[in-house]
Amino acid sequence: MGESTWLAERFEEQRPHLRSVAYRMLGSLGEADDAVQETWLRLSRTDPDELDNLAAWLTTVVARVCLNTLRSRQRRREEPLDIWVPDPVVSPAGPEDPEHAAVLADSVGLALLVVLDTLTPAERLAFVLHDMFGVPFDEIAPMLDRSPAAARQLASRARRRVRGQTPTPDADLARQREVVTAFLAAARDGDFDALVGVLHPDVVLRADGGATRARHTTVITGGRQVAAEATMFGRFSPFSRHAVINGAAGVVVVAAGRPLAIMAFTITDARIAEIHVIADPQRLALLNLTPFTT
């Protein structure tokens, strides 16, 4: 076996881990794949004899690539962060679907990804690598040109923000689906009181309608306000199909074989705390929604 073949095989073994790191760093499946590809290109130009620990080297490289992407994104982003909806991982089967198992290894929800996107690039890198993947701070520090103590402080600040802003989802997927079913039924029937009852008083709805559906790009907060919006959504309830989105209950809305929207729910104490909606046709086209449209 030649060196290039051996290196390619070792890289493929690490690919799921690298994609998982990149997805949590970027919240974008396309950008995560680009970061993994860039990591492979850098590896292919590296002498294998210089690599003492290939897995650690690859993690460092993909993290640096993601850090550069975050910094570039921060400079060019014009739209407010609070209307950004991360790329979802959608499955009709369940969180153990092999295709998504690596990305959903610890069920990183969309609510968490939204909060991660409010962190500075350095905070996000320190938190993701240390808290999610157990990378020591003395390995994180050189990536940020900081001391290990400074890297620890970055992760600590990020951790406090995550804990303060991310609702803790209920663990029982079947129970989550019951809550979503109740929400859909109330929306279909136009039952405002039932909707308010299934929503947390401080529920947040984030929706991305894209360029062609800009009026659907919005953030709505509060149980009664979100319930009012949901009554208008009610006509689509019969076209909603249950899905697992980032390890949690969600639905894909399909009409005439065409996906119209996806809705991801964060459910805490049997009530809906957050709803993330993507109705942007361009983004929907990039997702693997074929199982829902056939």
Side-chain angles (χ1 to χ4, degrees), residues 50-91:
E50 298 177 2
L51 305 176
D52 294 330
N53 185 329
L54 180 59
W57 187 90
L58 289 171
T59 299
T60 296
V61 171
V62 79
R64 288 183 182 274
V65 171
C66 291
L67 183 64
N68 291 336
T69 300
L70 288 173
R71 287 169 172 167
S72 176
R73 181 195 291 174
Q74 191 176 54
R75 287 192 296 268
R76 71 174 185 267
R77 176 175 273 164
E78 297 178 355
E79 64 184 26
L81 295 180
D82 60 359
I83 61 171
W84 179 74
V85 178
D87 284 350
V89 179
V90 185
S91 171

Side-chain angles (χ1 to χ4, degrees), residues 100-131:
H100 305 310
V103 175
L104 299 179
D106 57 1
S107 297
V108 57
L110 296 188
L112 174 57
L113 289 174
V114 167
V115 176
L116 290 180
D117 208 56
T118 68
L119 306 176
T120 67
E123 288 172 342
R124 187 165 185 169
L125 183 144
F127 176 81
V128 168
L129 290 187
H130 180 268
D131 284 43

Side-chain angles (χ1 to χ4, degrees), residues 26-38:
L26 301 172
S28 163
L29 295 169
E31 288 182 330
D33 287 337
D34 289 344
V36 173
Q37 181 62 22
E38 175 62 23

Side-chain angles (χ1 to χ4, degrees), residues 186-216:
R188 180 194 62 223
D189 298 338
D191 191 335
F192 184 82
D193 290 338
L195 282 167
V196 171
V198 81
L199 295 169
H200 189 280
D202 299 321
V203 62
V204 178
L205 182 150
R206 295 181 182 86
D208 177 8
T212 60
R213 298 176 179 172
R215 64 188 180 89
H216 296 298

